[in-house]
Amino acid sequence: MPTEKNRFYAKLLCARNLIFFLFVSGNSLAQETIVKGKVTDANSGDPIPFVNVIYQGTSIGTTSDFNGNYTIKTTTPGDTIVASYIGYNPRKKAVGKGGTQVVNFQLGEAATQLQEIVISAGENPAYEILRKVVRNKSKNDKRKLTAYEYDTYTKIEIDVDNITDKFRERKIIKKITQVLDSVERMAGEDGKPILPLFISESVSKFYYRDNPQLQFENILKSKINGVGVEDGTLVTQLVGSSFQEYNFYQNWLNIVTKEFVSPIADGWRLYYDYDLTDSVYIGDDYCYRLDFTPKSPQDLAFTGTIWITKESSALKQIDVTVNKQANLNFVEKIKVQQELEPTSEGAWLPVKTRVLIDVSELTNTSAGMLAKFYTSNKNFVVNKPREPVFYQHPIVMAEDARLNENEEHWDTLRHEPLSETERNVYKMIDTLQNIPIVKTYIDLAKIFVNGYFDAGKIYIGPYIGFVAANNLEGLRLQAGFKTSIDFSNKWVLRGQLGYGFKDEKLKYAASVQYIASREKWTTISLRTRSDIGRVGVDDETLADNYIFLAAQRWGNYRRGYYFDETRFNFQRELFKGFTQRFAVKRLTFQPEFEFGYTQPDDVNGDTLSNFQTSELIIESRYARDELFIQDDNERISLGAIKWPIITLRYTHGFKGIFGSDFDYTKWRLSIFKRIKFGPLGVAYLNTTGEYTMGSAAYPLLTPHLGNQSPFYTIITYNLMDYGEFVSDRYVSLQYQHHFEGFLLNRIPLMRKLKWRLVGSANVIYGSMSNANKKLIPLEADSDTPKYLPVGTFDRNKPYVELGYGVENIFRFIRVDFVHRLTYLDKTVNPDVRKFGVLVSFQFTL
């Protein structure tokens, strides 16, 4: 029989079990609340990563991921959640309790990006973290790897933003009202409408190796849709990941052609103020959060936040912004966000990068522009370099890259799915392209940018040479054409006809080019032409400066001449960076100024004026890291990155062949280099040396290019008269230094003007041999040249001109103050200019 005591314990046990059951059941049955959504920028529509989303007044919350998505799960919810992030105004939204809810935020930018940083007594705790970052760069920087490769997905979108009421009133904009109405709906409740113009996606395989530094991108698939974009072959090469490389372990980053100092540069303390604001787990990494601002707002530096891992002092995440206070033109804001992960070898590689460039409105009635870039990388393979020949071409596009598979196939290629807004962008661009007035404006814009009118299989132009006027020809009219890739991807035909109404002479040019290989760029061409020229203007050397050459057809032709020329040219890239060229040229020279010479072996000393020459040209050019892209049948250089461009040219004139009058040999070596000076800006150095053996009339030597106009030109000697000096052996140096905002940014009254200092130096050390001097006829019983005196250098005295000036005046104007330091004797040259104030116009960021 159970005792009373046993009954009591049994009841107590039952009560305990009942209480425990009710407690557990109550908790298990308590309803869980799930709130999820996306945080985007109200201006651009881009996702905002790293945003704090929490229940108001609690510590319950989370941080948005790189794509702006967040999820909060809790059994003790409040009724309001708050989204906040540095540089943005916080937003609150009401939420319910229980179930799953979607709450999206659109955050507007705050007036100021960071609160004032206050440093207490003692060392700033952020400093020791940054010192560790610098000490561990050799371990964490991806440049320590001998090689790496990965799969990459790139997405680019270009939009019109700041669509004001004044902008809407413009004639062309009224024609696209239907599209603008759709834009309003896409913007969302808090967002500002943007008008999409271009969107592209590409999937590539990217390869890099060190020693030698080589890279190669194989674009496997590309999808492009843009207003005015048709073929997309050129654009496809530009939208890959090769142009989206941002390594903050470098001291300086090149963005929109400008050099920005990294917040983890070796000299970080010179440029930034820092504040240690938080420590948090990001995935499995415990990280310190550091906020920073530039010491000088006008410097090319960032404002933002970095997350540094505690264990390895590596950069885990970064979010930086360049605001309109910086010394930049036409740019309202640049924003870069990046997330990195460690590789098996310890170095960290970026897995996701997002870049936004906000271009400001040029006038009150115009709109701005947004350029948005997103890159995702995965499947890393490190320290397995391939043979150098594998990297022969920096960018290669697969033959079927532009074959548009259906949307379902692209969903398997993308690293993340497109948002609903991005899918609508494709549809809106298609609508825009089919509006008649938009098509008309696109055609006009293409003519302006390309210089040619696209007539299908041929291009008509270039328009810049249609009209000219000078003292020899009077009014000159000209028309021309070249064939497109639709005509042939092997053959390129060009033709040009011009007529002068004063000299009543017809000028012409015709050429045919055969592209023998695109793999190792190989071309064979033949050209014939009859035209006018100026002594000292070498159109072969200045071929890339087509605006300068077109401008030479205007004004007074000092030392002008008529010529007939036939040229054969063969060119091939033998290996990466090394191009070999072979050419044969025949030229006749018929001067329109007082000119004379004597033949080297003419004992009678007869004075002649016309001559002919036949030349063989062999040229070797080496540019180790020059980047090329192919635009239909043309190959375009984007310049060298780190190494100089070296060109060696051999020219030999054969007397007696095709009536040639001279026998001579010329050797020329030129070196061009872009030099980065960090906080001191960037410089461009061009040095050339040439040596001529044998005798020839002075137009076949080197008449140094002077400038008697009021405009400054970087390729001329700006205080030298046209044809003032001629050499057959010389060494020259032309140096331009752009100081960006150095010094002027530190002067309070100058900061708002955003003027920039510039310096220049032009030096020639040269001479002319006695053999060539003897070919110039002299006045009777005098040492003075008979025809328009030709100046020559003293052997021990260089020509020197130094300049200094200010650029970026009203964003377009440059003023240079140039001093000529040598050859100032007015008895030799009564018109010598010792000092000049010259103006030029330029478009720079």
Side-chain angles (χ1 to χ4, degrees), residues 722-737:
Y722 294 125
E724 182 180 351
F725 292 101
V726 178
S727 298
D728 59 16
R729 60 203 66 187
Y730 72 92
V731 176
S732 70
L733 179 146
Q734 292 182 297
Y735 181 83
Q736 292 278 322
H737 195 116

Side-chain angles (χ1 to χ4, degrees), residues 107-240:
L107 302 185
E109 291 186 23
T112 57
Q113 286 253 328
L114 284 176
Q115 297 179 351
E116 182 180 357
I117 295 177
V118 179
I119 305 300
S120 304
E123 185 182 58
N124 186 333
Y127 289 177
E128 179 57 27
I129 297 172
L130 288 160
R131 281 194 287 267
K132 289 181 179 179
V133 171
V134 173
R135 284 198 298 267
N136 285 277
K137 274 188 178 184
S138 60
K139 300 177 183 177
N140 298 321
D141 187 351
K142 66 181 181 179
R143 290 177 293 177
K144 69 163 279 190
L145 300 171
T146 59
Y148 55 81
E149 58 189 68
Y150 49 77
D151 299 328
T152 181
Y153 164 79
T154 303
K155 178 171 55 186
I156 298 177
E157 183 180 337
I158 297 177
D159 310 305
V160 173
D161 74 335
N162 292 333
I163 302 174
T164 63
D165 291 337
K166 287 185 177 181
F167 181 71
R168 285 174 175 271
E169 293 302 313
R170 301 182 70 171
K171 182 179 179 180
I172 184 174
I173 302 303
K174 287 183 177 180
K175 300 286 186 179
I176 58 175
T177 304
Q178 179 183 357
V179 177
L180 286 178
D181 291 341
S182 299
V183 167
E184 294 280 4
R185 291 193 295 271
M186 284 175 56
E189 57 179 329
D190 300 312
K192 295 183 179 180
I194 56 178
L195 180 65
L197 296 179
F198 174 90
I199 187 169
S200 73
E201 299 176 84
S202 66
V203 178
S204 309
K205 188 77 176 181
F206 184 85
Y207 307 85
Y208 172 87
R209 70 161 288 164
D210 192 28
N211 194 27
Q213 291 184 1
L214 300 169
Q215 69 179 44
F216 165 53
E217 181 178 10
N218 186 11
I219 300 175
L220 304 175
K221 288 295 177 184
S222 176
K223 185 177 183 182
I224 297 173
N225 197 10
V227 176
V229 179
E230 295 173 357
D231 174 67
T233 302
L234 173 64
V235 179
T236 297
Q237 299 168 74
L238 293 172
V239 299

Side-chain angles (χ1 to χ4, degrees), residues 48-64:
I48 308 178
F50 324 136
V51 177
N52 293 322
V53 185
I54 64 172
Y55 277 95
Q56 185 174 9
T58 73
S59 59
I60 302 171
T62 188
T63 302
S64 63

Side-chain angles (χ1 to χ4, degrees), residues 659-698:
S660 177
D661 295 306
F662 303 102
D663 188 273
Y664 55 90
T665 299
K666 299 169 71 173
W667 289 93
R668 176 187 291 181
L669 175 66
S670 64
I671 301 173
F672 175 81
K673 179 74 171 71
R674 180 177 183 266
I675 309 171
K676 301 177 184 179
F677 282 96
L680 297 180
V682 63
Y684 298 89
L685 172 68
N686 190 12
T687 181
T688 303
E690 185 171 82
Y691 186 83
T692 302
M693 297 177 287
S695 299
Y698 77 80

Side-chain angles (χ1 to χ4, degrees), residues 556-787:
N556 182 41
Y557 261 65
R558 190 174 186 271
R559 301 193 179 185
Y561 62 92
Y562 289 89
F563 69 88
D564 296 305
E565 180 199 65
T566 302
R567 178 196 297 266
F568 169 82
N569 192 86
F570 172 82
Q571 176 178 305
R572 181 174 175 84
E573 185 179 34
L574 299 181
F575 57 87
K576 179 175 170 52
F578 186 82
T579 300
Q580 189 65 50
R581 185 168 74 92
F582 170 87
V584 177
K585 167 185 168 183
R586 182 180 181 274
L587 176 76
T588 65
F589 182 88
Q590 304 150 43
E592 286 296 309
F593 62 97
E594 286 190 298
F595 167 75
Y597 71 95
T598 61
Q599 282 282 8
D601 53 358
D602 188 352
V603 295
N604 296 321
D606 293 335
T607 299
L608 306 173
S609 57
N610 295 355
F611 64 77
Q612 302 179 57
T613 182
S614 299
E615 292 182 340
L616 166 68
I617 301 169
I618 301 174
E619 181 180 275
S620 301
R621 183 178 185 274
Y622 183 59
R624 178 174 174 175
D625 59 355
E626 187 174 20
L627 181 60
F628 288 96
I629 57 176
Q630 291 186 13
D631 180 14
D632 292 340
N633 289 331
E634 295 183 3
R635 195 181 192 217
I636 301 173
S637 171
L638 299 182
I641 301 171
K642 180 180 178 181
W643 297 91
I645 299 175
I646 303 171
T647 305
L648 176 64
R649 181 188 299 174
Y650 166 84
T651 304
H652 186 79
F654 294 90
K655 185 175 182 178
I657 297 181
F658 300 115
S660 177
D661 295 306
F662 303 102
D663 188 273
Y664 55 90
T665 299
K666 299 169 71 173
W667 289 93
R668 176 187 291 181
L669 175 66
S670 64
I671 301 173
F672 175 81
K673 179 74 171 71
R674 180 177 183 266
I675 309 171
K676 301 177 184 179
F677 282 96
L680 297 180
V682 63
Y684 298 89
L685 172 68
N686 190 12
T687 181
T688 303
E690 185 171 82
Y691 186 83
T692 302
M693 297 177 287
S695 299
Y698 77 80
L700 293 174
L701 305 178
T702 305
H704 298 284
L705 190 56
N707 180 15
Q708 291 180 252
S709 77
F711 302 105
Y712 185 88
T713 309
I714 61 174
I715 61 175
T716 66
Y717 299 90
N718 286 280
L719 293 185
M720 183 187 292
D721 292 344
Y722 294 125
E724 182 180 351
F725 292 101
V726 178
S727 298
D728 59 16
R729 60 203 66 187
Y730 72 92
V731 176
S732 70
L733 179 146
Q734 292 182 297
Y735 181 83
Q736 292 278 322
H737 195 116
H738 301 265
F739 289 91
E740 301 296 348
F742 182 70
L743 292 181
L744 294 186
N745 277 355
R746 274 102 183 135
I747 303 175
L749 296 179
M750 303 294 292
R751 289 176 181 171
K752 290 186 178 180
L753 295 175
K754 295 186 177 181
W755 288 2
R756 305 164 188 167
L757 292 176
V758 63
S760 63
N762 290 329
V763 181
I764 308 174
Y765 184 86
S767 64
M768 182 185 289
S769 68
N770 290 329
N772 281 318
K773 287 181 180 179
K774 289 179 180 179
L775 300 187
I776 303 174
L778 303 178
E779 297 284 358
D781 301 322
S782 171
D783 292 333
T784 304
K786 184 177 181 180
Y787 298 115

